[in-house]
Amino acid sequence: MSGVALRIWLLHPAPASRRQARLGRWYRAWRGLSRNGLAMAGLFIVVALVLMAIFAPLIADRAAVTTQSLATRLQFPSAEHWFGTDELGRDIFARVVFGARITLTIVGLVSAIVLPIGLGIGLPAGYFGGWPDAVLMRLTDIFLAFPRLVLALAFAAALGPGIENAVIAIALTAWPPYARLARAETMTRRDAEFVQAAVLQGASHGSILFSQIVPLCLPSVVIRLTLDMAGIIVTAAGLGFLGLGAQPPAPEWGAMVATGRQVLLTQWWVATIPGLAIVITSVGFNLLGDGLRDVADARSA
Amino acid sequence: MTEAPLLRVRNLRVTYPGEQGDVHAVRDVSFSLGRERLGIVGESGSGKSTTGRAIMGLVPPPGRISADELRLGETDLRGLSERGFREIRGRRVAMVLQDPKYALNPVMRVGRQIAETHRMHVGGGTRAARLAALTMLEAVNIRDPERVYRLYPHEVSGGMGQRVMIAMMLIAKPEVLIADEPTSALDATVQTQVLAVLDDLVRGRGMGLILISHNLHLVSAFCDRVLVMYAGRVVETCAAGRLHEATHPYTRGLLAALPTLEHRRAVLPQLRRDPAWAGE
Amino acid sequence: MAGPTIGGGRIPGWGIVRRVLRTLGSVTLTFLGLTVVTFFIGRVIPIDPVLAIVGPKASNETYDRVRAEIGLDLPLPVQYWRYLLKVLHGDFGTSVITSQPVLRDMLDVFPATLELAVLALLIGVVLGVPLGVVAATHRGRWQDHLIRLLSLFGYSTPVFWLGLIGLLLFYAKLGWVAGPGRIDVGYDDMVPTVTGLLTVDALLDGNSEVFVNALRHLVLPASILGYLSLAYVARMTRSFMLGQLRQEYVLAALAKGLSHGRVVWVHALGNVWVQLITVIALTFGSLLEGAVLTETVFSWPGLGLYMKNSLFNADLNAVLGGTMLVGVVYIGLNLISDLIYPLVDPRVRGQRR
Ligand SMILES: Nc1ncnc2c1ncn2[C@@H]1O[C@H](COP(=O)(O)OP(=O)(O)O)[C@@H](O)[C@H]1O
Ligand SMILES: [Mg+2]
């Protein structure tokens, strides 16, 4: 099929098959997104981050992440050390590159916890309504009313510092919006004809939820997650800055800013560069999330 | 009609640029309005509201207006600045919208909303505006103006809300009023009362009224003259009393679709539409 | 003609009573939830609180005696009940570092945080609301894009990093503002404490020197926190405003001859405020959180710095007390926003829900 023919097939107003319809929908969403310059910039940043994390050993020297060299400490950026060196003489470029792995691990783990909890509470609440809904939503409201960072701080303090505990702390305070979202999406769908049809055919509640409703909730949940990524990254960096996240010598960006703080006035790059990495990453996720939301809004409007 | 018309419209066109080409919401509409009640009927989407808004200079961007003539009294409305329109709106031409539930600012007392128009156009300060608003409330048949003045829009019923709306639009004594489906959102029992208030004021002040509606019955009973619009065009103009003599097939279709008390129909007739009516 | 219907029913004010009762119910539940969470955090801590008191060398008997003394041998619900009673009496235990009751410590440091957060909120609202309005009225044009980017950076940037950059630029390089801390050492304790807000106390005392110095310290951390709230406030204002500008009453207001300015800034914005109240309350809560990091960067002697220091000295009472306090302020803000809502929105006043 030629490119033009493919496009016509994808955009066909009356798709012949379910697959054509689905692919067409994705293609239309992609066209909407690709027209938005800022969203594409965000996508570029996110993809670059992922590639950087995957191919970190090819981009930078793994040994340089932890190799200390007091003779060459606190050096200004140069051809040899692109981003300079820190107070222990470690190469900041290598640490920033490998730090991407930690950041992505954190957002990956947080999502892996938040999605099941959020869907697990929101879906039944929206699907069954009545008292399960009341109880689950009351629980959600309670968690929603908590100060996020402070609670994460208390969790991290109780569980001890470390990346796993930081993840748990963030996840425990991040799920309520997903529960609300999943509930709202489920409520608008549970009375739809195809769900009623499935009920009449004798499908169980569980299978209806998973095969009919979850796939329809996912797009908005994913958009919300993309927008939340930035917040998760910034919170994680904050915990790292306070010494409650990844422990030294791990190259966590927030912790790197904290160590650079002591030499801020004389060797500004030590704190500035890892901070820029955080900013660029979270700007990327925010731009992408904004763009995705615009596409979704345009489709539902 | 010997005196000069209040409003003159010749070949008015309104276009909204869109993804799939331009939408021609109004095409070559021409009419003139004297001290009379002119009805515009047509199905939803036929361009009635857009025509009204074009006269007020309130077509939302990116909509574009053009006309061979668009004249309010001596004032040419084509290419009139936003400033110029501001002096005209409310003062010389005003507009009553469909649903008072949405057309009144929910967080401002209704009295203040009426007085605001007065302050804007007549001046004379807050006290004068308040007095004028109270008088105006009385003029639209509200029994206890002092009390109603202090109410918020959600505290008044639909019929009263619409009378407040009329008061707000007529307090600065415009020459022309465009009423866009003014009774469509109201209970049937209240509709006639609101229309009576409107009729009273329009006749009493010798104003010109454009009554927009999708209800042919209402328009033919209330107006002197009727324009029938279809797909952005005026397809027929006739005196309200001679509507039964209408010749255009679309108008005939509308008439045939009207339910009557004499004979009930088992099957509602399908309204016939022909793309050719919009063409030329 | 039917008379006007008045929303409130027969008893005026009944709607308000219902509303307040409902709000109080939900506040109580949230508060209980908060205590349950802090209670469990206190229990799951790996550091053994008994061991912390008796020391590792104590005999088993001493250990058991102390364990019974602090009630750790009781069933969990009983322990929780005791904890709840203590919290309700404002008893959060004693701080290990200061040997003072935690509540006392917190009351000492909280005004510093309050001063910071209030000024930050003022900056955020005074600048954020107009920016949001302009973005909405210029939707899709360069003003909108610029404001969108400005706020995007606001909520993408870690406050601690921004604080460091701010110190580097405006304190070290340019010398426009004073450095870390609340006031220069030389001015310490020069004005009597009345409100605990240093700038206010200096004004009350009529001491302009202290006022200027305190303000020079305050302005940078407050602006940086304020930028974060500005970002959020501007974004929400923009989206509320776009919603209002689509409303029919806007068209009606234009049709009666009002200027665009009046329609936007009086009519539409009047309706936006109604929606913004909750946002502003939430923003204030998040400012308290941001204070933990900002205070660390600026050595600002407030609640955040207190909690952070307690954290690293394993002073769990102090950390949980701080969590509790911030949580209570959060709940209080929700309550206040619920209660002032009807003052701004006539539709809620006297409405039955
Ligand atoms: N803001 C707008 N943007 C694009 N198209 C519009 C807009 N407003 C109206 N239209 C289009 O103009 C046509 C006429 O609309 P309208 O004047 O509201 O009809 P009526 O009032 O007769 O129901 C419709 O096809 C409508 O879709
Ligand atoms: Mg219309």
Side-chain angles (χ1 to χ4, degrees), chain B residues 44-45 47-50 53 98 180-181 212:
Chain B
S44 168
K48 309 180 299 286
S49 298
T50 307
R53 286 184 197 192
Q98 179 169 346
D180 190 348
E181 312 258 9
I212 294 175

Side-chain angles (χ1 to χ4, degrees), chain C:
Chain C
M1 164 85 234
T5 50
I6 301 189
R10 302 218 172 272
I11 311 163
W14 172 235
I16 299 185
V17 175
R18 287 274 297 253
R19 202 183 152 76
V20 169
L21 282 182
R22 233 179 37 138
T23 310
L24 284 182
S26 104
V27 160
T28 313
L29 259 179
T30 313
F31 175 75
L32 288 180
L34 183 64
T35 56
V36 168
V37 171
T38 49
F39 172 70
F40 273 99
I41 293 177
R43 291 272 315 178
V44 295
I45 179 151
I47 305 167
D48 187 336
V50 182
L51 220 53
I53 296 174
V54 297
K57 293 200 197 79
S59 66
N60 278 349
E61 291 78 57
T62 328
Y63 183 93
D64 289 340
R65 187 171 48 74
V66 172
R67 191 173 140 81
E69 254 171 36
I70 47 180
L72 285 181
D73 56 340
L74 297 169
L76 272 187
V78 179
Q79 287 191 42
Y80 171 69
W81 178 244
R82 289 184 163 199
Y83 172 74
L84 185 62
L85 286 182
K86 282 170 95 178
V87 166
L88 284 176
H89 285 95
D91 179 0
F92 299 101
T94 306
S95 158
V96 177
I97 317 176
T98 62
S99 320
Q100 285 205 83
V102 168
L103 183 66
R104 171 92 188 278
D105 279 351
M106 292 196 302
L107 290 180
D108 282 348
V109 294
F110 192 62
T113 301
L114 196 64
E115 190 171 28
L116 191 60
V118 166
L119 186 59
L121 187 70
L122 273 179
I123 294 174
V125 172
V126 167
L127 298 179
V129 171
L131 283 177
V133 172
V134 170
T137 54
H138 293 74
R139 181 183 197 180
R141 287 191 263 166
W142 66 265
Q143 296 93 332
D144 185 22
H145 294 305
L146 188 72
I147 293 167
R148 189 171 174 170
L149 274 182
L150 188 78
S151 45
L152 190 93
F153 272 96
Y155 43 81
S156 300
T157 309
V159 60
F160 57 90
W161 181 76
L162 204 59
L164 289 177
I165 300 296
L167 274 178
L168 184 64
L169 268 174
F170 299 110
Y171 165 60
K173 293 274 188 291
L174 298 170
W176 292 354
V177 300
R182 236 181 140 189
I183 194 148
D184 284 356
V185 185
Y187 294 111
D188 253 349
D189 297 324
M190 265 181 63
V191 294
T193 302
V194 184
T195 60
L197 311 175
L198 215 45
T199 45
V200 177
D201 284 350
L203 281 182
L204 289 178
D205 195 46
N207 191 329
S208 61
E209 225 180 306
V210 172
F211 175 75
V212 168
N213 189 268
L215 199 61
R216 275 169 55 88
H217 279 270
L218 179 61
V219 68
L220 185 60
S223 304
I224 281 166
L225 266 182
Y227 176 41
L228 300 189
S229 60
L230 175 156
Y232 185 55
V233 169
R235 179 162 92 155
M236 297 312 285
T237 305
R238 176 185 184 271
S239 91
F240 291 155
M241 196 72 190
L242 286 176
Q244 292 300 326
L245 290 177
R246 277 194 289 268
Q247 301 296 313
E248 287 268 288
Y249 72 81
V250 167
L251 179 65
L254 288 171
K256 66 185 190 182
L258 301 188
S259 67
H260 270 277
R262 188 164 169 88
V263 172
V264 169
W265 294 94
V266 177
H267 286 263
L269 188 57
N271 285 273
V272 167
W273 277 120
V274 174
Q275 297 166 286
L276 267 181
I277 290 190
T278 319
V279 169
I280 291 173
L282 283 180
T283 308
F284 192 71
S286 71
L287 285 175
L288 288 182
E289 295 201 291
V292 176
L293 290 161
T294 315
E295 290 178 5
T296 304
V297 171
F298 286 91
S299 308
W300 191 263
L303 185 66
L305 194 63
Y306 175 74
M307 284 183 72
K308 191 229 157 193
N309 289 337
S310 311
L311 205 67
F312 286 94
N313 292 295
D315 193 348
L316 197 66
N317 281 344
V319 175
L320 292 183
T323 309
M324 220 40 221
L325 179 62
V326 177
V328 167
V329 173
Y330 243 69
I331 296 172
L333 287 168
N334 277 321
L335 180 66
I336 291 173
S337 82
D338 255 26
L339 294 183
I340 54 180
Y341 206 93
L343 298 182
V344 191
D345 188 351
R347 281 161 299 186
V348 182
R349 224 173 317 184
Q351 177 190 334
R352 283 197 226 209
R353 276 247 198 118

